[in-house]
Amino acid sequence: MNWIYFFEILGTVIFVISGVMTAIDDDFDVVGSIIIGIVTAVGGGTVRDVLIGQTPVGWMRDTSFLWAMLAGVILSYLFRKYITKLRRSMFFFDTMGIGLFTILGLQKTLNAGLEVPFAVLMGIVSAVFGGVIRDVLTNRVPLIFRKEIYATACLVGALVFLALEQFNTIRPINMGVSMLVVMIIRYLSVKNNWGLKL
Amino acid sequence: MNWIYFFEILGTVIFVISGVMTAIDDDFDVVGSIIIGIVTAVGGGTVRDVLIGQTPVGWMRDTSFLWAMLAGVILSYLFRKYITKLRRSMFFFDTMGIGLFTILGLQKTLNAGLEVPFAVLMGIVSAVFGGVIRDVLTNRVPLIFRKEIYATACLVGALVFLALEQFNTIRPINMGVSMLVVMIIRYLSVKNNWGLKL
Amino acid sequence: MNWIYFFEILGTVIFVISGVMTAIDDDFDVVGSIIIGIVTAVGGGTVRDVLIGQTPVGWMRDTSFLWAMLAGVILSYLFRKYITKLRRSMFFFDTMGIGLFTILGLQKTLNAGLEVPFAVLMGIVSAVFGGVIRDVLTNRVPLIFRKEIYATACLVGALVFLALEQFNTIRPINMGVSMLVVMIIRYLSVKNNWGLKL
């Protein structure tokens, strides 16, 4: 399915840009910024692949991802002043990437033969652990532990996808709807400053 | 051996509770607390399984661990005021879990065909790395690097177990005695504020 | 090739010493220092092996590395006052180790069947990630993100090695030259306080 592949590549570029921008903000040098960019983009999928035993990890089997990351790095440096003004579009693509990575991670884990609850967990890990590792490497307490209901949006999206799969066999629709659910929840949570503290 | 399985599940619940309590102390939201709880409970075994190549990692092959973790999270939130008064019992079960995880990790590594010194090392990793990852994610210097002779207790327990296995074929006794050794050393070290600084 | 093996063991000892010295500076206890020493020495190769799916990780297949690490720990504690005066020699061996680990990591990744760009990346990871994990565990922002053109030296060395392999079939020469390139670049960058900030 070419459109999934297209979005996966696009998501990778976006995640790299968000990582590099964080690193530049932190006054990192070029190499450090590139590492942070790569880690942000592929960290979640890497953790998932390692835990479920699908190694070499996915992004190392296809050089397209490497070029996507290189493109992300170059775009970040060329347009960094411009990108900061594009926060709205960045947020849009970032959230789309999170939704996509959740569903793809869930599917990959199911395909590896693990049970549904672990697939849901690995879907969330795919989407959020890149950011967690980025925050650890830049010596921050990971964002998702304190703000936004980021991981919760992924959880709901994953459950919606699984529910839709029971009723509807047209996978692209199921993926699209569940990605949209992730995007809407995250949008509303940021807009309304939702939190989940008991 | 059902009683081992029972203690493994119990150890998992206890470790989740200790992780969630740390996260609540740090003002994390629910999702963050759950992640920290899970990481504390299964982080050590996960690192071991990944390093020795036993993937998918053990806890992802058995949903019981997932339900044990869920139970740990729910117990933490329901009884959090009460749990802080139970520090003594928590410490007891926590130390028992550490002893058990050391011996089980050692055995699993031997069964995977690695040599004895690596099995000892992986036994220690199984017991302590969940806490290390928890501390890294909450932006602390890992506790075991500064306080208590936590890892040393595991090391001694692992060596006692290996020694006993030479003389005695009744494994439950060997496991029980070596777990007891871990518990006694840790208890004494905390009570007497032992350290190992050269 | 025995001389490679010799340098690999020597590099391991040196990396352990550098890790233990950092940990002692940070007032860690013995166990913490040993863990930091081990992580510094084998962290990079471990990350590489896990990502490319070569598990159990390399150093767990050969007890020589364990004894090398033990030797490094003992040397660190016995001669710690003396070692701080040996910074120049330490820097020499450390840089040699980095060069060697880059080329060995690159070769191992190629042998595992991955494509050249990933092999270059894994060469760099082999050389620098031990230090990254050490810095994360000691709650620092990893050194390579802020100072020295450490990873860049590895990148250039890896490319030089690949270029030489096209023209020359005598591998020891190719390895020696590319290691020398890494060492010279790192030496010059430290001496002249080079950085790479765009």
mmCIF file of all heavy atoms in Angstrom, chain B residues 82-113:
data_model
loop_
_atom_site.group_PDB
_atom_site.id
_atom_site.type_symbol
_atom_site.label_atom_id
_atom_site.label_comp_id
_atom_site.label_asym_id
_atom_site.label_seq_id
_atom_site.Cartn_x
_atom_site.Cartn_y
_atom_site.Cartn_z
ATOM 1 N N TYR B 82 -2.517 4.583 51.974
ATOM 2 C CA TYR B 82 -2.275 3.459 52.863
ATOM 3 C C TYR B 82 -0.891 2.835 52.617
ATOM 4 O O TYR B 82 -0.203 2.442 53.550
ATOM 5 C CB TYR B 82 -3.382 2.429 52.643
ATOM 6 C CG TYR B 82 -3.464 1.391 53.708
ATOM 7 C CD1 TYR B 82 -3.715 1.755 55.034
ATOM 8 C CD2 TYR B 82 -3.267 0.048 53.413
ATOM 9 C CE1 TYR B 82 -3.776 0.793 56.020
ATOM 10 C CE2 TYR B 82 -3.332 -0.912 54.398
ATOM 11 C CZ TYR B 82 -3.579 -0.535 55.700
ATOM 12 O OH TYR B 82 -3.626 -1.478 56.687
ATOM 13 N N ILE B 83 -0.507 2.789 51.318
ATOM 14 C CA ILE B 83 0.761 2.129 50.951
ATOM 15 C C ILE B 83 1.964 2.820 51.592
ATOM 16 O O ILE B 83 2.906 2.167 52.035
ATOM 17 C CB ILE B 83 0.930 2.069 49.412
ATOM 18 C CG1 ILE B 83 -0.038 1.032 48.829
ATOM 19 C CG2 ILE B 83 2.354 1.723 49.015
ATOM 20 C CD1 ILE B 83 -0.169 1.054 47.329
ATOM 21 N N THR B 84 1.902 4.146 51.653
ATOM 22 C CA THR B 84 3.042 4.860 52.228
ATOM 23 C C THR B 84 3.270 4.475 53.690
ATOM 24 O O THR B 84 4.377 4.588 54.196
ATOM 25 C CB THR B 84 2.838 6.388 52.138
ATOM 26 O OG1 THR B 84 1.546 6.687 52.670
ATOM 27 C CG2 THR B 84 2.930 6.857 50.694
ATOM 28 N N LYS B 85 2.193 4.000 54.339
ATOM 29 C CA LYS B 85 2.356 3.537 55.731
ATOM 30 C C LYS B 85 2.858 2.098 55.793
ATOM 31 O O LYS B 85 3.224 1.607 56.854
ATOM 32 C CB LYS B 85 1.004 3.615 56.464
ATOM 33 C CG LYS B 85 0.537 5.045 56.678
ATOM 34 C CD LYS B 85 -0.798 5.067 57.422
ATOM 35 C CE LYS B 85 -1.491 6.403 57.231
ATOM 36 N NZ LYS B 85 -2.959 6.274 57.266
ATOM 37 N N LEU B 86 2.860 1.448 54.619
ATOM 38 C CA LEU B 86 3.253 0.035 54.586
ATOM 39 C C LEU B 86 4.700 -0.150 54.159
ATOM 40 O O LEU B 86 5.080 -1.194 53.659
ATOM 41 C CB LEU B 86 2.349 -0.733 53.609
ATOM 42 C CG LEU B 86 0.924 -1.003 54.064
ATOM 43 C CD1 LEU B 86 0.114 -1.573 52.916
ATOM 44 C CD2 LEU B 86 0.937 -1.980 55.237
ATOM 45 N N ARG B 87 5.509 0.892 54.299
ATOM 46 C CA ARG B 87 6.863 0.847 53.760
ATOM 47 C C ARG B 87 7.615 -0.426 54.176
ATOM 48 O O ARG B 87 8.384 -0.997 53.442
ATOM 49 C CB ARG B 87 7.665 2.083 54.183
ATOM 50 C CG ARG B 87 7.184 3.358 53.508
ATOM 51 C CD ARG B 87 8.318 4.306 53.120
ATOM 52 N NE ARG B 87 7.752 5.497 52.480
ATOM 53 C CZ ARG B 87 7.556 5.606 51.167
ATOM 54 N NH1 ARG B 87 7.882 4.632 50.360
ATOM 55 N NH2 ARG B 87 7.042 6.712 50.678
ATOM 56 N N ARG B 88 7.386 -0.876 55.395
ATOM 57 C CA ARG B 88 8.069 -2.049 55.896
ATOM 58 C C ARG B 88 7.717 -3.307 55.093
ATOM 59 O O ARG B 88 8.592 -4.030 54.631
ATOM 60 C CB ARG B 88 7.688 -2.289 57.355
ATOM 61 C CG ARG B 88 8.839 -2.541 58.262
ATOM 62 C CD ARG B 88 8.333 -2.493 59.676
ATOM 63 N NE ARG B 88 8.903 -1.374 60.376
ATOM 64 C CZ ARG B 88 9.543 -1.541 61.530
ATOM 65 N NH1 ARG B 88 9.665 -2.720 62.081
ATOM 66 N NH2 ARG B 88 10.061 -0.497 62.144
ATOM 67 N N SER B 89 6.417 -3.519 54.885
ATOM 68 C CA SER B 89 5.987 -4.686 54.101
ATOM 69 C C SER B 89 6.449 -4.543 52.656
ATOM 70 O O SER B 89 6.897 -5.506 52.033
ATOM 71 C CB SER B 89 4.458 -4.823 54.117
ATOM 72 O OG SER B 89 3.958 -4.610 55.404
ATOM 73 N N MET B 90 6.342 -3.322 52.120
ATOM 74 C CA MET B 90 6.795 -3.076 50.754
ATOM 75 C C MET B 90 8.262 -3.454 50.609
ATOM 76 O O MET B 90 8.652 -4.118 49.648
ATOM 77 C CB MET B 90 6.630 -1.591 50.393
ATOM 78 C CG MET B 90 5.222 -1.149 50.094
ATOM 79 S SD MET B 90 4.645 -1.769 48.487
ATOM 80 C CE MET B 90 5.684 -0.807 47.372
ATOM 81 N N PHE B 91 9.053 -3.020 51.567
ATOM 82 C CA PHE B 91 10.485 -3.309 51.530
ATOM 83 C C PHE B 91 10.714 -4.821 51.561
ATOM 84 O O PHE B 91 11.548 -5.347 50.821
ATOM 85 C CB PHE B 91 11.186 -2.643 52.722
ATOM 86 C CG PHE B 91 12.665 -2.885 52.758
ATOM 87 C CD1 PHE B 91 13.526 -2.200 51.921
ATOM 88 C CD2 PHE B 91 13.205 -3.821 53.636
ATOM 89 C CE1 PHE B 91 14.891 -2.438 51.949
ATOM 90 C CE2 PHE B 91 14.569 -4.063 53.670
ATOM 91 C CZ PHE B 91 15.409 -3.372 52.825
ATOM 92 N N PHE B 92 9.937 -5.518 52.381
ATOM 93 C CA PHE B 92 10.053 -6.967 52.484
ATOM 94 C C PHE B 92 9.791 -7.641 51.138
ATOM 95 O O PHE B 92 10.604 -8.410 50.632
ATOM 96 C CB PHE B 92 9.078 -7.491 53.554
ATOM 97 C CG PHE B 92 9.081 -8.982 53.687
ATOM 98 C CD1 PHE B 92 10.052 -9.623 54.448
ATOM 99 C CD2 PHE B 92 8.123 -9.755 53.040
ATOM 100 C CE1 PHE B 92 10.056 -11.014 54.558
ATOM 101 C CE2 PHE B 92 8.134 -11.146 53.148
ATOM 102 C CZ PHE B 92 9.099 -11.770 53.909
ATOM 103 N N PHE B 93 8.653 -7.307 50.518
ATOM 104 C CA PHE B 93 8.295 -7.946 49.249
ATOM 105 C C PHE B 93 9.230 -7.499 48.123
ATOM 106 O O PHE B 93 9.587 -8.274 47.246
ATOM 107 C CB PHE B 93 6.843 -7.622 48.877
ATOM 108 C CG PHE B 93 5.850 -8.327 49.745
ATOM 109 C CD1 PHE B 93 4.957 -7.626 50.533
ATOM 110 C CD2 PHE B 93 5.822 -9.711 49.786
ATOM 111 C CE1 PHE B 93 4.039 -8.288 51.332
ATOM 112 C CE2 PHE B 93 4.908 -10.389 50.589
ATOM 113 C CZ PHE B 93 4.019 -9.669 51.365
ATOM 114 N N ASP B 94 9.619 -6.214 48.152
ATOM 115 C CA ASP B 94 10.525 -5.679 47.150
ATOM 116 C C ASP B 94 11.841 -6.459 47.166
ATOM 117 O O ASP B 94 12.338 -6.887 46.123
ATOM 118 C CB ASP B 94 10.784 -4.199 47.453
ATOM 119 C CG ASP B 94 11.569 -3.511 46.359
ATOM 120 O OD1 ASP B 94 11.074 -3.486 45.223
ATOM 121 O OD2 ASP B 94 12.683 -3.032 46.637
ATOM 122 N N THR B 95 12.379 -6.681 48.372
ATOM 123 C CA THR B 95 13.643 -7.395 48.493
ATOM 124 C C THR B 95 13.481 -8.854 48.092
ATOM 125 O O THR B 95 14.367 -9.438 47.459
ATOM 126 C CB THR B 95 14.158 -7.300 49.935
ATOM 127 O OG1 THR B 95 14.223 -5.928 50.295
ATOM 128 C CG2 THR B 95 15.542 -7.888 50.057
ATOM 129 N N MET B 96 12.338 -9.438 48.429
ATOM 130 C CA MET B 96 12.076 -10.801 48.003
ATOM 131 C C MET B 96 12.039 -10.868 46.476
ATOM 132 O O MET B 96 12.610 -11.772 45.862
ATOM 133 C CB MET B 96 10.753 -11.281 48.574
ATOM 134 C CG MET B 96 10.630 -12.776 48.642
ATOM 135 S SD MET B 96 9.113 -13.247 49.505
ATOM 136 C CE MET B 96 7.888 -12.718 48.311
ATOM 137 N N GLY B 97 11.390 -9.881 45.864
ATOM 138 C CA GLY B 97 11.329 -9.821 44.407
ATOM 139 C C GLY B 97 12.720 -9.714 43.786
ATOM 140 O O GLY B 97 13.034 -10.384 42.805
ATOM 141 N N ILE B 98 13.564 -8.884 44.405
ATOM 142 C CA ILE B 98 14.930 -8.727 43.909
ATOM 143 C C ILE B 98 15.690 -10.044 43.978
ATOM 144 O O ILE B 98 16.372 -10.439 43.033
ATOM 145 C CB ILE B 98 15.653 -7.647 44.742
ATOM 146 C CG1 ILE B 98 15.120 -6.277 44.356
ATOM 147 C CG2 ILE B 98 17.155 -7.713 44.546
ATOM 148 C CD1 ILE B 98 15.496 -5.196 45.332
ATOM 149 N N GLY B 99 15.553 -10.739 45.109
ATOM 150 C CA GLY B 99 16.214 -12.040 45.252
ATOM 151 C C GLY B 99 15.723 -13.023 44.204
ATOM 152 O O GLY B 99 16.512 -13.679 43.519
ATOM 153 N N LEU B 100 14.394 -13.077 44.044
ATOM 154 C CA LEU B 100 13.812 -14.012 43.092
ATOM 155 C C LEU B 100 14.248 -13.696 41.665
ATOM 156 O O LEU B 100 14.670 -14.586 40.916
ATOM 157 C CB LEU B 100 12.286 -13.956 43.176
ATOM 158 C CG LEU B 100 11.546 -14.881 42.212
ATOM 159 C CD1 LEU B 100 11.712 -16.334 42.608
ATOM 160 C CD2 LEU B 100 10.066 -14.530 42.142
ATOM 161 N N PHE B 101 14.174 -12.408 41.292
ATOM 162 C CA PHE B 101 14.521 -12.018 39.929
ATOM 163 C C PHE B 101 16.004 -12.313 39.633
ATOM 164 O O PHE B 101 16.358 -12.653 38.508
ATOM 165 C CB PHE B 101 14.209 -10.533 39.687
ATOM 166 C CG PHE B 101 12.738 -10.249 39.502
ATOM 167 C CD1 PHE B 101 11.776 -11.188 39.836
ATOM 168 C CD2 PHE B 101 12.298 -9.035 38.986
ATOM 169 C CE1 PHE B 101 10.413 -10.932 39.668
ATOM 170 C CE2 PHE B 101 10.942 -8.764 38.811
ATOM 171 C CZ PHE B 101 9.996 -9.721 39.155
ATOM 172 N N THR B 102 16.863 -12.171 40.645
ATOM 173 C CA THR B 102 18.275 -12.498 40.454
ATOM 174 C C THR B 102 18.446 -13.961 40.061
ATOM 175 O O THR B 102 19.108 -14.279 39.055
ATOM 176 C CB THR B 102 19.073 -12.250 41.751
ATOM 177 O OG1 THR B 102 18.897 -10.895 42.164
ATOM 178 C CG2 THR B 102 20.556 -12.519 41.545
ATOM 179 N N ILE B 103 17.830 -14.849 40.853
ATOM 180 C CA ILE B 103 18.019 -16.279 40.609
ATOM 181 C C ILE B 103 17.364 -16.709 39.302
ATOM 182 O O ILE B 103 17.947 -17.467 38.514
ATOM 183 C CB ILE B 103 17.450 -17.111 41.791
ATOM 184 C CG1 ILE B 103 18.002 -16.609 43.140
ATOM 185 C CG2 ILE B 103 17.739 -18.584 41.603
ATOM 186 C CD1 ILE B 103 19.496 -16.642 43.239
ATOM 187 N N LEU B 104 16.145 -16.198 39.035
ATOM 188 C CA LEU B 104 15.463 -16.555 37.787
ATOM 189 C C LEU B 104 16.231 -16.040 36.568
ATOM 190 O O LEU B 104 16.342 -16.727 35.562
ATOM 191 C CB LEU B 104 14.034 -15.997 37.762
ATOM 192 C CG LEU B 104 13.044 -16.598 38.754
ATOM 193 C CD1 LEU B 104 11.682 -15.929 38.605
ATOM 194 C CD2 LEU B 104 12.913 -18.101 38.551
ATOM 195 N N GLY B 105 16.774 -14.833 36.671
ATOM 196 C CA GLY B 105 17.545 -14.255 35.570
ATOM 197 C C GLY B 105 18.807 -15.058 35.305
ATOM 198 O O GLY B 105 19.181 -15.294 34.146
ATOM 199 N N LEU B 106 19.451 -15.485 36.381
ATOM 200 C CA LEU B 106 20.649 -16.328 36.265
ATOM 201 C C LEU B 106 20.299 -17.631 35.543
ATOM 202 O O LEU B 106 20.988 -18.030 34.596
ATOM 203 C CB LEU B 106 21.174 -16.598 37.672
ATOM 204 C CG LEU B 106 22.477 -17.368 37.860
ATOM 205 C CD1 LEU B 106 23.116 -16.972 39.196
ATOM 206 C CD2 LEU B 106 22.297 -18.860 37.831
ATOM 207 N N GLN B 107 19.230 -18.267 35.983
ATOM 208 C CA GLN B 107 18.839 -19.546 35.373
ATOM 209 C C GLN B 107 18.494 -19.380 33.895
ATOM 210 O O GLN B 107 18.915 -20.169 33.056
ATOM 211 C CB GLN B 107 17.633 -20.133 36.110
ATOM 212 C CG GLN B 107 17.996 -20.683 37.481
ATOM 213 C CD GLN B 107 16.777 -21.131 38.263
ATOM 214 O OE1 GLN B 107 15.674 -20.653 38.028
ATOM 215 N NE2 GLN B 107 16.977 -22.031 39.207
ATOM 216 N N LYS B 108 17.730 -18.316 33.593
ATOM 217 C CA LYS B 108 17.313 -18.111 32.204
ATOM 218 C C LYS B 108 18.525 -17.906 31.292
ATOM 219 O O LYS B 108 18.538 -18.376 30.153
ATOM 220 C CB LYS B 108 16.368 -16.904 32.121
ATOM 221 C CG LYS B 108 15.688 -16.788 30.779
ATOM 222 C CD LYS B 108 14.503 -15.845 30.776
ATOM 223 C CE LYS B 108 13.825 -15.893 29.400
ATOM 224 N NZ LYS B 108 12.741 -14.909 29.274
ATOM 225 N N THR B 109 19.536 -17.192 31.808
ATOM 226 C CA THR B 109 20.725 -16.930 31.006
ATOM 227 C C THR B 109 21.528 -18.210 30.793
ATOM 228 O O THR B 109 22.044 -18.457 29.699
ATOM 229 C CB THR B 109 21.589 -15.856 31.691
ATOM 230 O OG1 THR B 109 20.764 -14.732 32.008
ATOM 231 C CG2 THR B 109 22.728 -15.400 30.789
ATOM 232 N N LEU B 110 21.627 -19.029 31.843
ATOM 233 C CA LEU B 110 22.292 -20.331 31.690
ATOM 234 C C LEU B 110 21.537 -21.187 30.675
ATOM 235 O O LEU B 110 22.157 -21.810 29.799
ATOM 236 C CB LEU B 110 22.345 -21.065 33.032
ATOM 237 C CG LEU B 110 23.400 -20.576 34.039
ATOM 238 C CD1 LEU B 110 23.278 -21.365 35.345
ATOM 239 C CD2 LEU B 110 24.811 -20.721 33.474
ATOM 240 N N ASN B 111 20.212 -21.203 30.762
ATOM 241 C CA ASN B 111 19.408 -21.997 29.830
ATOM 242 C C ASN B 111 19.577 -21.524 28.389
ATOM 243 O O ASN B 111 19.395 -22.301 27.451
ATOM 244 C CB ASN B 111 17.924 -21.938 30.200
ATOM 245 C CG ASN B 111 17.645 -22.688 31.477
ATOM 246 O OD1 ASN B 111 18.452 -23.526 31.909
ATOM 247 N ND2 ASN B 111 16.524 -22.392 32.113
ATOM 248 N N ALA B 112 19.893 -20.229 28.214
ATOM 249 C CA ALA B 112 20.095 -19.698 26.861
ATOM 250 C C ALA B 112 21.484 -20.066 26.340
ATOM 251 O O ALA B 112 21.836 -19.715 25.221
ATOM 252 C CB ALA B 112 19.903 -18.183 26.846
ATOM 253 N N GLY B 113 22.279 -20.769 27.170
ATOM 254 C CA GLY B 113 23.568 -21.269 26.698
ATOM 255 C C GLY B 113 24.756 -20.369 26.973
ATOM 256 O O GLY B 113 25.843 -20.621 26.456
#
